[in-house]
C-alpha cells in the first residue's frame, strides 16, 4: 500500500513559485481524464524548463466528485506537462500549493502595487509577492516570502489539500455544490518532491506456544 506524505509543515519560497492564471474553472464542466490548461503570469526558469509569459501548463483532472450532500464537491488536479523551451507539452511535474482569488476578493495587489519602480522595471511576480498583505496571507505567522502549501486566499469555503487526491494529485474541496474559480484567480504552482510512504505489509501473527 502507498500513501503520499502531507506537505503541511513545509514553507516554499515565493520566488520558486509559478503563477498560473485562471480564466474560468467550473467543476460542472469537468470530468475525470479531461485535460485543462492555464497560462503563466510571469516568466520562469527551471534547470530543465524555461517558461515565457503566457506559456501553458497542463493538468489532468484525476477526480470530480459530489457527495450525497449537494452542498459539497471536490476536484483533484495533476499538473504534469508544460510548454518548456518553446516546445509543446514537455514533462514537468508541478504541484498546486496555493489558490488566490481575483483582485476584488482578496489582498491581491497586481493593480495596487506599481510594477515600474525607479531605477528599473519590477517583475510582476515581485509586485505580487513583495506586498506585505498577500505575503502574510500566503504563510500566516511563517517566514516572509514563503508559501504554506494548502493556503487559500480570498475564496470563502474553499480548501486545498496538496497530495490528498488520487495518485498524489492535489485536491480542492468546497462546501458549495460546485467549485467555480472566477477569472483573475490564480493557482500557485511549484516543483516539489512528493514523498511517498510505503506501508509495511501485515506480518502474520505467530502461533502461541503449546
Amino acid at each position: 500500500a502507498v500513501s503520499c506524505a502531507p506537505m503541511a509543515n513545509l514553507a516554499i519560497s515565493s520566488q520558486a513559485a509559478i503563477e498560473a492564471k485562471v480564466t474560468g474553472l467550473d467543476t460542472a464542466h469537468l470530468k475525470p481524464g479531461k485535460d485543462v490548461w492555464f497560462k503563466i503570469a510571469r516568466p520562469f526558469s527551471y534547470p530543465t524548463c524555461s517558461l515565457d509569459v503566457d506559456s501553458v501548463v497542463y493538468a489532468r483532472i484525476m477526480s470530480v466528485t459530489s457527495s450525497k450532500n449537494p452542498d459539497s464537491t471536490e476536484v483533484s488536479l495533476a499538473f504534469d506537462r508544460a510548454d518548456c523551451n518553446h516546445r509543446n507539452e514537455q514533462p514537468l511535474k508541478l504541484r498546486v500549493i496555493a489558490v488566490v482569488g481575483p483582485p476584488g476578493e482578496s489582498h491581491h495587489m497586481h493593480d495596487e502595487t506599481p510594477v515600474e519602480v525607479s531605477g528599473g522595471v519590477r517583475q510582476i511576480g515581485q509586485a505580487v509577492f513583495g506586498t506585505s498583505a498577500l505575503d502574510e496571507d500566503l504563510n500566516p505567522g511563517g517566514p516572509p516570502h514563503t508559501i504554506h502549501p494548502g493556503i487559500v486566499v480570498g475564496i470563502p469555503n474553499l480548501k486545498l489539500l496538496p497530495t490528498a487526491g488520487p495518485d498524489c494529485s492535489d485536491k480542492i474541496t468546497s462546501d458549495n455544490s460546485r467549485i467555480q474559480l472566477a477569472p483573475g484567480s490564480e493557482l500557485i504552482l511549484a516543483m516539489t518532491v512528493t514523498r511517498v510512504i510505503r506501508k509495511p505489509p501485515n506480518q502474520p501473527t505467530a502461533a502461541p506456544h503449546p
Side-chain angles (χ1 to χ4, degrees), residues 1 14-15 19 26 28 41 55 68 85 101 107 129 131 151 157 165:
S14 58
Q15 297 303 315
E19 302 166 59
D26 189 340
S55 291
K68 294 181 180 179
N85 308 318
H107 293 296
F129 293 126
T131 57
I151 202 75
N157 304 319

Side-chain angles (χ1 to χ4, degrees), residues 18-41:
I18 291 176
E19 302 166 59
K21 300 180 289 187
V22 177
T23 56
L25 183 71
D26 189 340
T27 54
H29 305 300
L30 300 177
K31 61 182 181 180
K34 181 177 181 179
D35 287 335
V36 292
W37 55 271
F38 307 84
K39 291 184 177 181
I40 69 168

Side-chain angles (χ1 to χ4, degrees), residues 110-159:
H110 274 288
D111 299 323
E112 299 176 30
T113 302
V115 174
E116 292 188 2
V117 294
S118 118
V121 177
R122 192 178 185 185
Q123 292 285 344
I124 189 67
Q126 294 173 335
V128 175
F129 293 126
T131 57
S132 59
L134 181 59
D135 191 49
E136 173 63 21
D137 284 343
L138 287 171
N139 195 357
H145 307 299
T146 61
I147 301 170
H148 177 78
I151 202 75
V152 176
V153 179
I155 308 178
N157 304 319
L158 196 75
K159 293 181 179 180

Side-chain angles (χ1 to χ4, degrees), residues 58-116:
Y58 303 84
R60 177 69 51 87
I61 303 298
M62 302 299 292
S63 67
V64 180
T65 60
S66 297
S67 67
K68 294 181 180 179
N69 178 352
D71 294 329
S72 177
T73 190
E74 65 183 46
V75 59
S76 296
L77 300 149
F79 280 85
D80 59 359
R81 289 160 292 142
D83 289 350
C84 300
N85 308 318
H86 305 286
R87 298 174 63 188
N88 294 337
E89 300 193 43
Q90 301 301 300
L92 182 69
K93 179 64 178 176
L94 296 168
R95 186 150 308 285
V96 184
I97 59 171
V99 182
V100 179
E105 302 176 26
S106 70
H107 293 296
H108 217 303
M109 307 290 280
H110 274 288
D111 299 323
E112 299 176 30
T113 302
V115 174
E116 292 188 2

